Amino acid sequence: MCGIVAYVGDRTAYPILIKGLQRLEYRGYDSAGVALINDGLHVYKCKGKVKDLEEHAKGKSITGNIGMGHTRWATHGIPSDTNSHPHISMNGKFVVVHNGIIENYAHLKKGLISRGYTFQSETDTEVLANLIESIYVEQKVSAEIAVRSALTKVIGAYGLVISCSDEKDKLIAARKGSPLVIGVGENEYFLASDATPIVEYTDKVVYMDDEEVAVITKDSFTLTNIQNDTKEANIQNVTLSIDEIDKGHYEHFMLKEIYEQPLSIEDTFRGRVTMDHSKIFLGGLTEALPQLLSTKRIIIIACGTSWHAGMVGEYLFEEYARIPVEVEYASEFRYRNPVIQEGDVIIAISQSGETADTLAAIKMAKERGATIVGICNVAGSSIPRETHAGVYTHAGPEIGVASTKAFTSQVTVLSMMAFLLGKMKGSLAPDNYIHLIKELGKIPDKIKKVLESDEYIKKIAETYKDASNALYLGRGNLFPVALEGALKLKEISYIHAEGYPAAEMKHGPIALIDENMPVFVIATKDKSYDKIVSNIQEVKARNGKVIAIVTEGDQTIKKMADHVIEVPDCHEAVAPLLTVIPLQFISYHIAVMRGCNVDQPRNLAKSVTVE
Ligand code: F6R
């Protein structure tokens, strides 16, 4: 969950590290630190954000052409100056930044204490720093051998950058379970948890694999596995541009990402739908198409917002491809003993491609013989590398912790998959297939229209900004949108909210409704329309406040609801893509009005690489 950046070359490392940490802050932001290696070693670290670190380092020596930085999301030990990374080993021989968890740290720590080691922090990382140092000193081996040897004793996950005070020209990096990318420049190298801190300097990257160790100086790097067998470095071109990772004129990344959705959906279509919108082609699925066409069941696994997209997928696959679908929280699936039958297809959905539970669930299902299809946003991340086939969402980097454009891109991919499979299986008539592709193709322009309601929605947000609770209701494929709306409100404005299938309200939640309860109802014109109108009446009969998302021109609901937000008319299959936008705006504006940190909500991090 933490962010790592490191540099070795001719430039001054400090500004590169600071900028890199700012780009990685979405991965964790409870403390930050840098280690600068010049004649000596300077470590500056503190609780708080990267800007607090800059303040802390002001006026101090920030020279040096080698260094490493870290932004933390606490696992072992509260956020504090002492628990911040980098961590220095007891005798100052090694400095380490770490993303991940050393599961057997207590056992290792006990052994080190018995050999006279003392500890400053409560972290598992300091244990690793001391373990490496103890091997280095006691066995009189090189820093690289000491690192390899320590890693064979470690159980857990790590992305690591390490430097030894006796070998100052070198950085040692290792990865298992937590991502690490090497940026390859001219006489300079970069290391980072993802490519965003690197693209400003070079477009050549190597995505490290699990159990790989890299030894990097300014002129060269070697890649080996933990046993020291040479590995071939696969240098790839990364296509991320700086504009994509800057806020531009927007106040927050989340707002920018809400506004980017017409484009991110277009990008998700690009090259996959013919110009005349008559055919879908998903090249990444080729390997898994026979299984997808013959499977008796699809299991979708994901977490959080991606799980909500998966629930929309369930509706789409069942309705159009007539394939039974189960949608599972990855964290539940992996710890049960799930029945995986021959021919089962697992679709794993993840924006980051690094979510630990989703990754572990994939590995387990793969071992049991399932075909794994990934839907991911971050190219080169861990999940796509574990799958048999997959489709990238192409939404571009999502920096705001609250997921917005990733959700709509995931739903776009799931829609394309369901329509294509339906057509190939014969459950979707050719005319309907073309009609649905065209409906999907109209979504970016229709979203542009919804975006024009931003100011109007902001006024509605003003009315409800002080609510303590909120309910979100939807039916069919709009029930997952209700769940997503509630999650957005909870995570960025800290208002308690729940999403329900509208008809379930009568089985309990209706007791909560009074004049203080805002109820967001997704009520566009579809086959459940009359039913949802009745649900709105039930809320109004109990003095609840109804904010309804309706189809343009709807007069019926206008008469009964307190507020309506109109979206353009669309086919019900694609309605989740339109109706989620007003809910994203509502949460965004309420959070801003409540003075919350929209892009970095408390206790959260963008990619959850711990269980
Ligand atoms: C909510 C949010 C999270 C993620 C979840 C899964 O706004 O962003 O709920 O959706 O942590 O993350 P990925 O999709 O990266 O696997």
Side-chain angles (χ1 to χ4, degrees):
M1 302 279 271
C2 309
I4 288 178
V5 59
Y7 175 76
V8 48
D10 291 326
R11 306 182 206 225
T12 305
Y14 181 73
I16 297 171
L17 300 180
I18 291 293
K19 215 175 209 185
L21 290 180
Q22 283 159 347
R23 298 222 193 281
L24 292 173
E25 225 173 3
Y26 72 90
R27 299 180 66 86
Y29 36 80
D30 59 44
S31 49
V34 289
L36 301 167
I37 298 139
N38 40 42
D39 299 339
L41 170 69
H42 295 284
V43 172
Y44 306 121
K45 56 184 192 170
C46 60
K47 182 178 166 196
K49 306 225 153 120
V50 178
K51 65 176 171 15
D52 301 305
L53 170 66
E54 282 184 279
E55 212 38 57
H56 175 68
K58 236 181 214 158
K60 303 193 172 115
S61 166
I62 50 167
T63 58
N65 312 112
I66 305 188
M68 62 185 79
H70 187 272
T71 176
R72 179 170 186 247
W73 187 85
T75 55
H76 292 82
I78 54 159
S80 69
D81 293 352
T82 323
N83 286 336
S84 312
H85 298 217
H87 288 283
I88 304 177
S89 57
M90 189 178 81
N91 299 303
K93 288 276 175 212
F94 286 86
V95 59
V96 180
V97 289
H98 169 216
N99 169 26
I101 291 181
I102 308 298
E103 288 169 21
N104 59 338
Y105 85 106
H107 169 74
L108 296 171
K109 190 170 182 175
K110 221 164 140 195
L112 287 163
I113 289 173
S114 71
R115 304 212 306 280
Y117 271 86
T118 54
F119 293 83
Q120 311 295 317
S121 75
E122 300 153 271
T123 64
D124 50 346
T125 308
E126 194 186 5
V127 174
L128 184 59
N130 281 337
L131 178 66
I132 297 169
E133 185 182 272
S134 71
I135 296 169
Y136 178 76
V137 172
E138 288 162 19
Q139 299 179 16
K140 298 193 176 27
V141 288
S142 69
E144 187 186 332
I145 292 176
V147 169
R148 282 180 202 289
S149 170
L151 293 182
T152 60
K153 297 177 176 35
V154 154
I155 300 171
Y158 50 77
L160 287 167
V161 179
I162 301 157
S163 167
C164 174
S165 59
D166 297 331
E167 300 178 27
K168 284 205 190 79
D169 60 332
K170 186 178 287 171
L171 294 173
I172 302 173
R175 170 202 157 127
K176 185 178 176 193
S178 302
L180 217 44
V181 186
I182 304 171
V184 182
E186 290 283 324
N187 293 328
E188 61 181 356
Y189 290 92
F190 304 81
L191 280 155
S193 301
D194 68 31
T196 55
I198 297 174
V199 286
E200 198 163 336
Y201 311 100
T202 175
D203 61 355
K204 292 192 179 51
V205 297
V206 176
Y207 294 99
M208 286 180 71
D209 274 328
D210 271 352
E211 309 219 343
E212 278 185 349
V213 176
V215 178
I216 304 179
T217 65
K218 87 182 173 82
D219 315 303
S220 67
F221 84 98
T222 59
L223 200 61
T224 52
N225 63 15
I226 293 191
Q227 290 72 37
N228 205 11
D229 305 317
T230 304
K231 298 282 298 279
E232 201 175 324
N234 176 14
I235 301 181
Q236 305 182 27
N237 281 337
V238 70
T239 53
L240 208 60
S241 75
I242 291 295
D243 289 351
E244 287 179 287
I245 49 178
D246 270 349
K247 259 197 301 221
H249 64 276
Y250 291 96
E251 206 184 325
H252 297 101
F253 278 112
M254 181 180 177
L255 189 62
K256 177 180 179 237
E257 287 157 8
I258 292 174
Y259 272 92
E260 275 172 354
Q261 288 174 106
L263 184 65
S264 53
I265 292 177
E266 292 271 14
D267 286 344
T268 306
F269 279 152
R270 210 177 299 288
R272 293 164 167 170
V273 175
T274 50
M275 293 289 277
D276 61 355
H277 286 188
S278 67
K279 266 190 209 123
I280 292 169
F281 175 73
L282 296 170
L285 281 192
T286 313
E287 298 285 302
L289 258 189
Q291 287 87 343
L292 277 162
L293 290 170
S294 61
T295 190
K296 295 204 166 43
R297 173 174 79 148
I298 290 174
I299 304 170
I300 297 180
I301 50 173
C303 303
T305 288
S306 298
W307 185 81
H308 298 154
M311 289 188 65
V312 177
E314 175 180 26
Y315 166 89
L316 292 162
F317 284 116
E318 295 200 339
E319 179 75 18
Y320 299 106
R322 305 303 295 149
I323 306 174
V325 176
E326 287 164 32
V327 189
E328 298 260 11
Y329 285 116
S331 54
E332 288 296 314
F333 181 78
R334 63 177 287 204
Y335 287 116
R336 283 207 324 270
N337 185 12
V339 179
I340 296 174
Q341 291 153 354
E342 207 187 315
D344 277 349
V345 175
I346 305 280
I347 299 180
I349 309 175
S350 174
Q351 187 285 128
S352 62
E354 299 294 348
T355 300
D357 283 322
T358 311
L359 193 55
I362 290 172
K363 288 183 181 162
M364 188 249 263
K366 209 163 131 184
E367 271 165 23
R368 295 181 183 203
T371 299
I372 319 287
V373 175
I375 298 178
C376 282
N377 195 36
V378 179
S381 56
S382 303
I383 289 176
R385 287 193 277 159
E386 285 294 332
T387 55
H388 297 108
V391 184
Y392 280 116
T393 43
H394 294 170
E398 192 181 64
I399 312 276
V401 164
S403 191
T404 51
K405 63 175 180 169
F407 173 80
T408 44
S409 287
Q410 289 164 346
V411 172
T412 303
V413 168
L414 289 160
S415 306
M416 288 195 285
M417 282 177 71
F419 302 159
L420 177 65
L421 292 176
K423 157 79 174 15
M424 293 178 88
K425 289 182 67 155
S427 51
L428 185 59
D431 284 2
N432 285 346
Y433 170 68
I434 293 173
H435 179 60
L436 284 168
I437 302 175
K438 288 195 194 306
E439 283 294 310
L440 195 56
K442 288 179 197 157
I443 287 294
D445 281 342
K446 291 184 181 180
I447 290 183
K448 283 183 194 154
K449 280 206 80 181
V450 183
L451 295 175
E452 288 168 14
S453 311
D454 185 1
E455 279 304 311
Y456 168 71
I457 297 173
K458 190 171 172 182
K459 290 200 185 88
I460 298 176
E462 177 78 48
T463 314
Y464 298 104
K465 69 177 194 314
D466 297 319
S468 314
N469 297 288
L471 264 186
Y472 286 72
L473 304 177
R475 300 181 80 113
N477 61 344
L478 300 178
F479 162 51
V481 176
L483 290 174
E484 177 59 7
L487 177 63
K488 288 292 87 97
L489 190 69
K490 273 186 274 214
E491 66 182 330
I492 60 169
S493 72
Y494 318 141
I495 295 174
H496 170 242
E498 290 191 52
Y500 268 94
E504 273 297 302
M505 183 182 63
K506 287 199 277 296
H507 300 280
I510 199 163
L512 294 168
I513 292 173
D514 62 14
E515 64 285 1
N516 298 316
M517 175 67 95
V519 184
F520 295 87
V521 189
I522 307 142
T524 44
K525 293 242 165 91
D526 61 18
K527 54 180 172 286
S528 314
Y529 178 75
D530 292 339
K531 305 270 178 229
I532 205 127
V533 169
S534 307
N535 298 135
I536 292 175
Q537 279 165 335
E538 286 155 10
V539 174
K540 283 314 300 170
R542 283 146 189 97
N543 291 326
K545 298 280 183 283
V546 170
I547 307 97
I549 319 297
V550 301
T551 304
E552 216 164 41
D554 185 321
Q555 294 304 323
T556 312
I557 296 181
K558 203 171 190 175
K559 287 189 198 116
M560 47 183 97
D562 296 85
H563 308 272
V564 292
I565 303 170
E566 295 189 342
V567 298
D569 191 18
C570 68
H571 192 288
E572 66 178 63
V574 293
L577 292 165
L578 281 186
T579 49
V580 75
I581 312 287
L583 302 182
Q584 295 170 345
F585 271 140
I586 285 279
S587 307
Y588 171 77
H589 289 303
I590 289 184
V592 172
M593 288 168 195
R594 288 167 72 97
C596 300
N597 187 338
V598 172
D599 283 333
Q600 296 173 345
R602 69 185 180 203
N603 306 338
L604 289 172
K606 184 72 184 160
S607 77
V608 184
T609 54
V610 293
E611 298 172 10

